[in-house]
Amino acid sequence: MCQHASWPKHREQCIPRLVMASAKAAKEKKNNSLTEGDVLQAGHFPDPGSKVKISHVAHDKMFIYHVERGPNGEPNQFETLIKRCIEKSRQVKSHFTVQPKVNDIVFAPFEDEFYRAIVKEIKGNKALIFYPDFGNSETMEWSMLKEIPDPNIKYANTFTHPVWIDNISEFTAPIREFLQTLIDEQEFILTTVIDVPKTSIKMVDMRHVQEKYILSTKLLTIPGNKTEDRKPIVSCPPLAKKIQTATKFVVPNPETYKRVGVEELKELEINEGKGMELIIVNASQAFEENLLTVVHKSHLSQYETLLRDCQHYGKIDKNPYEPDNDEACLIQLCEFWHRAIYIEPSDITGGQFYLLDDATCTNMETVSSIRRYPPAMSRKLFVLEGVLENAQNLLKSIDGNKQNVNMLPGKTLKADLHLSKDDELGETTHITVLSID
């Protein structure tokens, strides 16, 4: 993979204010001189559940790219394109001696390398260029540019995509500052992808791979951010429907609330099988106790929706709660809400909570708030904790270093599942890893 230090970094740009209404979005697409789709075709947009990073944060949008490698560890299309650009640009020794034209696709410098760029404007000896594979723009002398001799590179599809963030009506200064700290560093799982009519920009939401926060929820909690007091702006019928659904969340009534016991929770049927696709949720005990927590890929969308619901319910419910033993509830760890079961204390150290969607335990003192389990929230349990039969296969995927275990959540496994029965443990699931993306 190319070194991030040599990639174009973010720069503030004079791009029109975020326009969420579909009619205005259509006008922006027509008039916005920094829309890369005017010259190059966009490649496949990552599917929900894909792992992505942020490449650039503009005034009103951000750009993301897919980071997962192929099934056999081969570079993805984004990595391959960047590598080819760098290699080919090094072979081109001469620079432009004749002024280029607007919309010409050229090699443009950034730091120590050259990358693909589109000429957006010429003024005298200066050119405004846009890096379609990263999302940022620069102004430089046009004599610094190079020709791209290979048409397969010059006209290759772009695999970096402009996006808006669901429920965030504008990028305030605090939001931009926070997003810029994530560029090329933090990995996210796409949880929501909405097609916005009459524009090439998609509306998305994402979950942080390690910290597991939902990006839109995180942004609304940033100090000094005024968007949390504003209602989301409806841009199109699909988004309007989504927002209407979100507003139906109802706070549990303390006067009529009926407790939700552990017996009401429903484990999904576990089937034995070979070559099953699983998403890693928690690998913290993979090398110490040979335990791995996963979710079936077919259940990922429902699982992600459930995590979002936890944040919504936790935010709107202001009524503290004390659960009984073996009762389901919502708990807040740091800023984020989780489904949990309260476990009655067996000694003077206090009670514990078992996190239903992470398969881990936490002590009472780590919990900042407790709320009632919403009656309308799903009782389904999507995660599966299994005995890992070949932890060495996971270790290979993190360069043989157990300290990199936090890199595993979000990765996709192909694995065999089989059940076994034990007089003490009962029925247990065993996971044999075949491959990991």
Side-chain angles (χ1 to χ4, degrees):
M1 185 172 180
C2 303
Q3 302 244 339
H4 285 215
S6 63
W7 295 359
K9 304 295 190 229
H10 61 276
R11 291 290 184 273
E12 291 298 322
Q13 325 214 3
C14 296
I15 302 178
R17 179 182 179 275
L18 178 63
V19 182
M20 304 290 275
S22 60
K24 292 184 179 180
K27 182 178 180 181
E28 181 188 64
K29 182 179 179 183
K30 178 179 179 181
N31 297 331
N32 185 357
S33 62
L34 296 184
T35 301
E36 71 277 19
D38 291 344
V39 180
L40 299 172
Q41 295 296 314
H44 175 70
F45 193 91
D47 296 320
S50 299
K51 190 179 296 185
V52 299
K53 284 186 177 182
I54 300 171
S55 67
H56 176 64
V57 179
H59 181 73
D60 67 335
K61 63 174 76 72
M62 67 181 188
F63 293 77
I64 63 173
Y65 61 98
H66 188 208
V67 297
E68 291 172 298
R69 287 176 166 256
N72 298 313
E74 65 270 16
N76 61 32
Q77 292 173 304
F78 173 78
E79 292 178 351
T80 300
L81 176 59
I82 299 304
K83 181 179 180 180
R84 290 174 62 202
C85 283
I86 292 176
E87 291 174 346
K88 181 60 67 173
S89 67
R90 290 174 178 174
Q91 299 172 13
V92 180
K93 305 301 181 182
S94 61
H95 296 73
F96 274 73
T97 57
V98 177
Q99 184 183 91
K101 299 177 181 179
V102 172
N103 286 337
D104 278 355
I105 305 171
V106 299
F107 279 136
F110 193 90
E111 296 183 352
D112 298 325
E113 299 290 352
F114 279 73
Y115 305 89
R116 196 166 60 152
I118 301 172
V119 178
K120 307 307 296 185
E121 187 177 285
I122 298 288
K123 286 187 177 180
N125 67 338
K126 299 289 186 178
L128 172 65
I129 60 96
F130 172 72
Y131 295 95
D133 301 310
F134 300 94
N136 62 315
S137 295
E138 296 288 342
T139 297
M140 63 187 63
E141 294 183 4
W142 56 258
S143 60
M144 300 173 64
L145 308 176
K146 293 181 179 181
E147 185 68 54
I148 303 180
D150 187 345
N152 292 323
I153 294 177
K154 188 172 185 176
Y155 300 107
N157 289 347
T158 56
F159 299 101
T160 302
H161 307 276
V163 296
W164 291 325
I165 303 175
D166 193 16
N167 289 334
I168 301 298
S169 59
E170 66 174 309
F171 282 7
T172 62
I175 283 180
R176 285 199 303 274
E177 290 174 7
F178 175 75
L179 290 174
Q180 286 164 357
T181 67
L182 308 176
I183 291 174
D184 287 336
E185 297 295 331
Q186 304 299 313
E187 293 184 344
F188 291 84
I189 300 293
L190 276 177
T191 60
T192 301
V193 177
I194 301 173
D195 291 323
V196 181
K198 302 180 181 179
T199 179
S200 60
I201 300 178
K202 294 185 185 291
M203 192 80 70
V204 304
D205 213 341
M206 313 189 297
R207 176 174 60 85
H208 194 280
V209 168
Q210 295 182 14
E211 299 180 28
K212 299 183 181 179
Y213 61 75
I214 300 298
L215 184 58
S216 64
T217 303
K218 177 73 170 179
L219 296 180
L220 292 173
T221 64
I222 293 176
N225 173 34
K226 297 181 180 179
T227 59
E228 62 180 316
D229 298 325
R230 303 181 184 182
K231 295 181 180 180
I233 299 176
V234 178
S235 66
C236 58
L239 182 57
K241 182 178 180 180
K242 183 179 183 63
I243 293 172
Q244 289 168 5
T245 301
T247 58
K248 293 180 181 178
F249 292 148
V250 178
V251 176
N253 186 341
E255 301 298 325
T256 60
Y257 180 71
K258 295 182 180 179
R259 66 182 292 274
V260 178
V262 65
E263 68 279 357
E264 293 187 40
L265 303 176
K266 302 176 183 178
E267 292 188 40
L268 297 182
E269 184 177 353
I270 302 172
N271 295 316
E272 295 181 298
K274 295 185 177 295
M276 305 183 76
E277 287 192 291
L278 310 171
I279 310 297
I280 298 177
V281 172
N282 188 338
S284 60
Q285 301 300 315
F287 307 117
E288 301 299 328
E289 300 184 20
N290 290 331
L291 293 176
L292 188 68
T293 304
V294 297
V295 60
H296 285 261
K297 191 171 184 179
S298 61
H299 298 148
L300 182 61
S301 177
Q302 297 176 69
Y303 174 73
E304 299 286 6
T305 298
L306 184 61
L307 295 181
R308 288 173 58 90
D309 288 351
C310 284
Q311 312 316 312
H312 285 295
Y313 278 115
K315 185 175 180 180
I316 65 176
D317 190 353
K318 306 300 181 184
N319 303 308
Y321 187 60
E322 294 184 9
D324 292 335
N325 184 40
D326 289 339
E327 181 180 353
C329 58
L330 296 184
I331 64 172
Q332 186 180 35
L333 300 177
C334 297
E335 303 174 38
F336 306 105
W337 292 89
H338 307 262
R339 296 192 305 168
I341 291 291
Y342 177 64
I343 303 172
E344 191 79 347
S346 57
D347 51 41
I348 61 173
T349 60
Q352 284 191 324
F353 290 91
Y354 177 78
L355 275 61
L356 296 171
D357 302 308
D358 200 45
T360 58
C361 287
T362 188
N363 294 325
M364 175 70 79
E365 56 265 26
T366 66
V367 177
S368 55
S369 298
I370 306 173
R371 297 292 185 266
R372 293 167 176 80
Y373 195 101
M377 179 173 278
S378 173
R379 270 50 167 181
K380 292 181 180 179
L381 303 178
F382 293 101
V383 300
L384 165 68
E385 185 179 48
V387 177
L388 185 59
E389 294 292 340
N390 54 343
Q392 68 276 8
N393 278 19
L394 286 186
L395 196 58
K396 293 177 183 177
S397 69
I398 53 175
D399 302 323
N401 187 350
K402 294 181 181 180
Q403 300 300 318
N404 294 332
V405 67
N406 286 337
M407 297 172 58
L408 289 172
K411 289 184 177 292
T412 302
L413 298 178
K414 282 191 176 180
D416 293 342
L417 296 185
H418 69 276
L419 306 179
S420 68
K421 292 185 178 181
D422 184 276
D423 292 337
E424 294 184 2
L425 300 177
E427 191 173 68
T428 59
T429 301
H430 294 253
I431 303 173
T432 302
V433 177
L434 304 177
S435 64
I436 180 169
D437 293 343

